[in-house]
Amino acid sequence: MQLFELVSPRLFRPLAGPNRAFYAELLLLLWEECRHTADYSISRAEAVSRAEDYFAALAKPLALDADDAGDEAEQPTRDPHTLALGFLLRLRRTGWLEEQPGSYEEEPALAFVPEVAPLLEALEEILNPRVVTYTGKLYKAWQLLQNIGEEKSPYENVLREVASDLEALNKSLRALNASIGHYIDRLTRNRTPQEVLELFDQYEEKVVAAAYHRFKTSDNLFNYRAYLEEELDDCEAEHLPRLALDYARVERCAPGEAAPAVRALIQKLRDSLEEMSTL
């Protein structure tokens, strides 16, 4: 199935038009209110109120986007109510929001279309990257593998969890590694050589030295890697039949396919540890 069979082909129009910055901020503002509700919804009145507060604080004249090729953009306005209704309407028309009719006891609501939730999480992640606890993830993986013999569902509750945690950790390290160059570029742009040298002196003192101290004094990959590899070897040597049985149950595959799949996953975990050491 293709992407635009699941979401509206017009989905990205608000984020590609002249008001893209305001749509992005409004989307994240509403998402913060809706992300923990059962159906990603907020009452229509509350959504309008939140949008009005946003545009009132913005205090900037904006012209509502033309929604289709034949439409004309309206004249700029500062009126928060007009802007709130216009922006919310366009988010509905382009497939971000859907209206839920009210009932005798409940007022009408607006809800995010479920398929856009990962996109909203990605936008939030760009602005506010989550901090992945390096030591915590490794310690959790080690603890899970160490107790795999006592687990009734060793694949579902241990091996799959460890795979997810190590992948998240590597993803975080890759993102950090890739972002360093961009950060340094932004930091040094339009600065004199002397200013750049002063910045790097501060960076070495406040960041590098502190990181080196943490590296030497806290548990990290090099403390845990040997233990994790031993536990993975033990999984393959001692627990493979139980892991394969649980894998077949969870993934609904033939028993004959389960053991090779578990071996492949164990090797993938070894590869993840190897990759981690290079990041």
Side-chain angles (χ1 to χ4, degrees):
M1 187 170 287
Q2 295 184 347
L3 174 63
F4 291 107
E5 293 176 357
L6 298 172
V7 300
S8 170
R10 306 162 71 187
L11 186 73
F12 295 105
R13 287 188 182 184
L15 299 178
N19 290 324
R20 54 188 174 273
F22 311 115
Y23 276 109
E25 290 181 346
L26 182 60
L27 280 168
L28 291 177
L29 185 151
L30 294 174
W31 179 240
E32 186 60 32
E33 297 295 321
C34 299
R35 68 196 310 167
H36 298 301
T37 63
D39 56 358
Y40 299 144
S41 69
I42 183 174
S43 73
R44 190 178 187 281
E46 182 66 17
V48 172
S49 175
R50 293 284 181 175
E52 286 177 345
D53 290 344
Y54 169 74
F55 289 113
L58 192 64
K60 182 176 181 177
L62 296 175
L64 297 174
D65 292 327
D67 205 37
D68 288 300
D71 294 344
E72 293 184 4
E74 298 188 17
Q75 292 299 312
T77 178
R78 290 177 181 266
D79 180 51
H81 185 68
T82 300
L83 291 171
L85 293 180
F87 271 65
L88 290 173
L89 176 61
R90 191 156 195 255
L91 290 175
R92 282 172 47 209
R93 287 179 172 177
T94 53
W96 288 93
L97 298 170
E98 58 186 2
E99 189 153 17
Q100 297 178 341
S103 63
Y104 178 74
E105 296 181 345
E106 296 181 352
E107 58 182 309
L110 292 175
F112 280 102
V113 176
E115 287 78 9
V116 306
L119 293 173
L120 292 161
E121 291 288 357
L123 291 175
E124 177 67 29
E125 177 76 12
I126 291 171
L127 289 174
N128 303 298
R130 293 185 182 90
V131 176
V132 176
T133 55
Y134 189 81
T135 301
K137 290 283 188 187
L138 293 171
Y139 181 74
K140 177 188 171 185
W142 177 59
Q143 286 284 82
L144 285 171
L145 289 171
Q146 195 175 40
N147 297 315
I148 195 170
E150 303 168 12
E151 178 57 55
K152 293 180 179 179
S153 301
Y155 165 71
E156 183 177 20
N157 294 339
V158 176
L159 209 60
R160 193 165 68 169
E161 282 293 305
V162 170
S164 176
D165 284 344
L166 293 188
E167 174 58 31
L169 186 51
N170 273 347
K171 180 181 177 182
S172 175
L173 290 172
R174 284 193 295 269
L176 176 62
N177 197 36
S179 68
I180 289 174
H182 291 276
Y183 174 76
I184 296 297
D185 183 57
R186 290 196 302 270
L187 196 65
T188 58
R189 191 175 298 148
N190 300 324
R191 293 181 182 270
T192 66
Q194 182 60 37
E195 289 173 330
V196 170
L197 288 173
E198 291 174 359
L199 278 173
F200 277 102
D201 284 342
Q202 296 172 19
Y203 181 80
E204 193 280 333
E205 178 184 351
K206 296 180 180 179
V207 178
V208 177
Y212 182 75
H213 177 74
R214 288 195 303 272
F215 176 79
K216 296 295 287 185
T217 58
S218 66
D219 292 328
N220 54 63
L221 172 63
F222 300 100
N223 297 93
Y224 282 111
R225 180 174 175 178
Y227 299 129
L228 289 169
E229 289 178 340
E230 286 177 8
E231 297 297 341
L232 290 174
D233 290 342
D234 193 47
C235 283
E236 195 164 10
E238 303 294 334
H239 304 293
L240 186 61
R242 293 178 60 246
L243 282 164
L245 188 64
D246 195 41
Y247 182 96
R249 177 187 66 83
V250 173
E251 304 296 347
R252 299 182 180 181
C253 70
E257 300 173 2
V262 170
R263 285 196 181 94
L265 180 56
I266 291 172
Q267 184 57 48
K268 181 181 177 182
L269 294 177
R270 294 189 181 106
D271 294 341
S272 292
L273 291 172
E274 180 65 29
E275 178 188 359
M276 202 177 296
S277 66
T278 66
L279 293 174

